[in-house]
Amino acid sequence: MSEISVLGAGAFGTALAISLARSGRDILLWARSDEAVSAMQTARENLLRLPGKAFPAKLAATSHLADACTAPILLLAVPMQQLAGFCEANKTLIQHKTLVCCCKGVDLRSERGPLAVLEDTLPEAEIAILSGPSFAVDIADGLPTALTLAGRRQDTVDRLQSLLTTQNIRLYSSLDPLGVEFGGALKNVIAIACGLAIGAGLGESARAALMTRGFAEMQRLVLRLGADPATLSGLSGFGDLVLTCTSEKSRNYSHGLKLGASTAIDPTVTVEGVATAQAVARLSQGLGIDMPITTAVTQILNGQISISEAAEVLLARPLKRE
């Protein structure tokens, strides 16, 4: 039996599985498709989502969810917009497990993050959130990074911090899972904004301004939600924001970049920030929180305004102290 199973064989889930297995743990990677698993077993790599990254000997793949869920620790690497449905459909298999959520975003229907989704659906599970600056290809290549592992219970976080630290992933702990998960979600929206600015030729100074004022938006919202805004100064906030807003490896930044440059976009690529922008715009409006960059991104994505019009609106806002 595997010590840890990773549920979801996208690029990030596969990379985590590779890193954990390379560190000597028995890991089982679950994918929904029988064909995908068969291909992974034959090639010993995920040709579809993370090609060229070989599976260590201790990593196995399966399409049988019941087999994967025999592990005591489950890493949930399914997309955020599928998380609620996945947990509800498979409640009997995962409700008594230790769950580590590895997706980033805000649910479009409920306007809640993964912590609330999991706690409502699976009240008996031990739950933690894993987030921070990380690209799947870097993790799979064994390059060093540091992430934040957060939960409500100190004993759970301490145990998982030890178990999930690998040769190339250093984990820092936090007891503010709400701040950690919203930092990881909100930075995706700002990354789209930065991509739009660079793609449209507005310049790197504009990107720096968007990152800085976007960070202020992030802090305002998490404070209103009851999280510690200081959490956003760590890896899961500032660290992830810097990475995601400055690299074309970021799906969210690249999405904005292509939109800004009016180039073709691959509709099969999951861009979590698109749905998160819609959800957060509604959430902030309902809470009375001023989030002008998020609002502008949402309006651009919806085709309500152009990038140049959004820039004019943001520049014309009333002057104030920083």
Side-chain angles (χ1 to χ4, degrees):
M1 183 180 76
S2 63
E3 299 176 59
I4 300 165
S5 287
V6 179
L7 307 185
F12 191 65
T14 302
L16 286 175
I18 289 173
S19 182
L20 287 162
R22 191 183 286 136
S23 295
R25 295 161 179 79
D26 291 310
I27 305 297
L28 193 56
L29 176 64
W30 173 79
R32 194 182 304 272
S33 165
D34 292 337
E35 291 78 12
V37 168
S38 179
M40 283 189 273
Q41 290 171 334
T42 301
R44 296 300 297 164
E45 63 180 86
N46 189 338
L47 292 168
L48 182 62
R49 299 299 183 187
L50 201 62
K53 310 305 174 186
F55 284 7
K58 284 186 170 288
L59 175 56
T62 183
S63 58
H64 301 291
L65 186 59
D67 291 345
C69 290
T70 59
I73 299 172
L74 306 178
L75 273 57
L76 302 180
V78 298
M80 180 63 215
Q81 302 309 319
Q82 298 176 21
L83 182 65
F86 176 84
C87 290
E88 188 61 47
N90 301 292
K91 187 173 182 178
T92 57
L93 289 174
I94 64 178
Q95 61 184 342
H96 298 296
K97 302 292 183 176
T98 298
L99 306 177
V100 182
C101 190
C102 305
C103 58
K104 300 173 182 178
V106 177
D107 183 68
L108 189 55
R109 290 179 298 175
S110 66
E111 299 172 9
R112 299 183 303 172
L115 182 69
V117 169
L118 292 175
E119 288 181 336
D120 282 359
T121 310
L122 307 161
E124 297 182 20
E126 287 187 279
I127 298 168
I129 304 292
L130 182 65
S131 190
S134 53
F135 290 138
V137 65
D138 292 345
I139 290 175
D141 281 339
L143 300 177
T145 191
L147 304 176
T148 302
L149 181 74
R152 297 195 189 277
R153 293 175 47 180
Q154 185 74 61
D155 59 338
T156 299
V157 171
D158 288 346
R159 178 169 59 90
L160 290 172
Q161 183 181 24
S162 177
L163 285 170
L164 300 179
T165 291
T166 72
Q167 295 171 346
N168 66 308
I169 301 176
R170 177 177 172 84
L171 296 184
Y172 287 82
S173 65
S174 170
L175 294 179
D176 182 19
L178 190 63
V180 167
E181 70 172 1
F182 268 88
L186 297 172
K187 60 86 186 176
N188 283 337
V189 181
I190 307 306
I192 293 175
C194 290
L196 289 166
I198 296 298
L202 300 183
E204 294 183 355
S205 297
R207 174 169 59 183
L210 288 168
M211 290 173 65
T212 307
R213 297 312 305 163
F215 188 64
E217 287 190 16
M218 293 165 62
Q219 290 179 309
R220 284 198 295 272
L221 182 60
V222 300
L223 178 63
R224 178 65 176 81
L225 293 173
D228 184 355
T231 299
L232 295 190
S233 295
L235 292 162
S236 59
F238 178 75
D240 213 357
L241 179 71
V242 170
L243 182 70
T244 311
C245 292
T246 58
S247 174
E248 292 186 37
K249 290 181 184 177
S250 162
R251 293 180 180 183
N252 294 280
Y253 177 73
S254 292
H255 186 78
L257 194 67
K258 291 174 182 177
L259 281 176
S262 299
T263 57
I265 291 173
D266 184 354
T268 66
V269 175
T270 300
V271 182
E272 289 285 10
V274 173
T276 295
Q278 311 287 337
V280 172
R282 293 202 309 261
L283 176 62
S284 61
Q285 184 176 19
L287 294 172
I289 304 297
D290 187 28
M291 299 187 72
I293 296 173
T294 299
T295 299
V297 168
T298 304
Q299 291 173 334
I300 292 169
L301 293 174
N302 291 340
Q304 295 171 285
I305 60 174
S306 66
I307 297 173
S308 60
E309 288 171 336
E312 289 177 9
V313 169
L314 291 173
L315 289 170
R317 282 170 52 79
L319 301 177
K320 62 180 183 179
R321 293 185 62 178
E322 187 171 33

